[in-house]
Amino acid sequence: MPELPEVESTVRHLRERVEGLTITGATIGWARTIHTHTPKKFVELVEGATIREVFRRGKFVGLQLISKSPLFLFIHLRMSGSLDVVSVESEPSPHDRVVLLLKGGKSIRFNDTRKFGRMYLCEDPAEVVGTLGVEPLDESFTQEILREISRSRSGAIKPLLLNQNVIAGLGNIYVDEVLWKASIHPLTPADTVPPEKIARLHQAIKETLTEAISLAGTDFGDGVVYGGMYRPLVYGRDGDPCDRCQSDIEKIVVAQRGTHFCPACQKKTRRRSTSRAYPAKLR
Ligand SMILES: [Zn+2]
């Protein structure tokens, strides 16, 4: 499933090729891909609109359109969606769910074998991305912010990092990667992670995402994104030796997601019961 680096790579790929071009029409192969409108209404609204800017927010690809009214098209690739820019004459694929035809003979094709991907057309971006959390590569995502986020949550750290309304863009692959780099067990209660590990986690998030973007992400997961060259150090490597200590990497399930970690480097810590949680007289 494409995560921040893969979506960012998609955005960069589109930006160079379609910014400034006008949409002349659209064909819809799978109606449910369009979440907000009927196919007919969708085509009506995008026809004649010009693509002003391509951007990313969390795991959404965003297109700012200039039309009669301000319009934003958000695309979530979900499990297997991919966006490419091809000539209108190139052979269609049976998995093309939406094709946007562009002036000058190009088209944007949204290919999605598993059909979970969605498009949202709206006037106000907040309708689609309004609840998303902080962007991890933004300057506003500081060590202090991550400390605050973890301090206020007693649940396990991995589901917290996967929560798009807390931090936008991390998914299963990169969360496993950054927890390994910071030597934090995925089930550690978030509010018990010590400050020095929060600092390492913060650095790992920034570094890993930046490195992965520079390599066009990874095509290790379901979403094959333009031959991404990032090779996970722990994700999907259960049974392999850990790069740091040579112990076998293990796989467990956390928050219904396959989770990879090194049991030697990422020791599970237990919450110490405090007198506040268990008053002495009740023990
Ligand atoms: Zn290890």
Side-chain angles (χ1 to χ4, degrees):
M1 176 163 166
E3 303 179 27
L4 189 153
E6 293 76 35
V7 177
E8 179 64 28
S9 302
T10 299
V11 163
R12 292 179 184 189
H13 180 85
L14 290 182
R15 190 179 284 149
E16 288 169 16
R17 291 164 177 83
V18 305
E19 267 183 7
L21 298 182
T22 298
I23 300 170
T24 56
T27 55
I28 317 294
W30 181 251
R32 278 163 64 186
T33 300
I34 314 291
H35 186 79
T36 46
H37 296 82
T38 62
K40 188 168 173 276
K41 186 70 187 167
F42 178 85
V43 176
E44 239 175 73
L45 286 167
V46 298
E47 218 169 48
T50 298
I51 301 167
R52 183 178 188 181
E53 199 192 341
V54 186
F55 61 97
R56 182 188 59 75
R57 179 74 176 99
K59 296 186 213 170
F60 286 86
V61 175
L63 270 65
Q64 188 188 355
L65 305 177
I66 306 172
S67 184
K68 279 153 262 171
S69 54
L71 211 52
F72 290 85
L73 174 60
F74 286 101
I75 302 148
H76 201 297
L77 307 171
R78 295 278 180 87
M79 301 299 284
S80 61
S82 68
L83 287 161
D84 205 358
V85 182
V86 294
S87 156
V88 280
E89 278 146 30
S90 69
E91 195 67 27
S93 147
H95 306 300
D96 288 340
R97 306 303 174 198
V98 175
V99 178
L100 299 174
L101 307 165
L102 306 173
K103 210 170 193 169
K106 287 188 201 172
S107 64
I108 299 174
R109 287 193 188 167
F110 181 58
N111 189 282
D112 186 17
T113 45
R114 297 178 68 176
K115 299 188 203 170
F116 291 116
R118 291 291 178 267
M119 291 194 178
Y120 308 79
L121 200 58
C122 59
E123 292 189 359
D124 179 5
E127 288 170 38
V128 180
V129 294
T131 61
L132 291 181
V134 62
E135 280 290 332
L137 290 179
D138 203 274
E139 279 177 16
S140 63
F141 180 62
T142 58
Q143 242 183 64
E144 181 52 36
I145 292 285
L146 184 59
R147 212 173 305 133
E148 273 172 29
I149 287 170
S150 68
R151 202 159 41 197
S152 59
R153 265 77 165 195
S154 57
I157 186 83
K158 176 162 179 176
L160 176 63
L161 296 176
L162 287 173
N163 185 341
Q164 298 303 298
N165 296 334
V166 177
I167 300 172
L170 290 175
N172 204 37
I173 295 176
Y174 293 100
V175 166
D176 281 4
E177 296 290 284
V178 298
L179 287 174
W180 178 80
K181 284 189 183 175
S183 301
I184 300 169
H185 191 288
L187 286 170
T188 308
D191 58 354
T192 67
V193 180
E196 66 275 12
K197 287 206 174 175
I198 291 290
R200 280 167 68 185
L201 179 62
H202 177 262
Q203 191 185 357
I205 291 172
K206 297 262 188 195
E207 279 178 6
T208 306
L209 294 177
T210 304
E211 186 200 349
I213 288 171
S214 75
L215 295 167
T218 179
D219 57 16
F220 193 93
D222 277 325
V224 178
V225 183
Y226 313 119
M229 295 296 287
Y230 179 82
R231 293 283 167 268
L233 295 166
V234 63
Y235 178 84
R237 292 193 50 197
D238 37 311
D240 286 359
C242 165
D243 272 9
R244 204 160 33 207
C245 76
Q246 315 306 315
S247 302
D248 285 356
I249 290 168
E250 285 184 10
K251 185 177 180 184
I252 55 170
V253 175
V254 176
Q256 290 99 51
R257 313 294 300 272
T259 295
H260 310 78
F261 73 106
C262 170
C265 294
Q266 294 166 269
K267 288 244 189 289
K268 196 169 169 185
T269 52
R270 289 196 13 229
R271 183 188 300 283
R272 261 178 283 159
S273 56
T274 62
S275 54
R276 197 178 41 170
Y278 299 99
K281 60 182 176 184
L282 296 180
R283 269 187 235 162

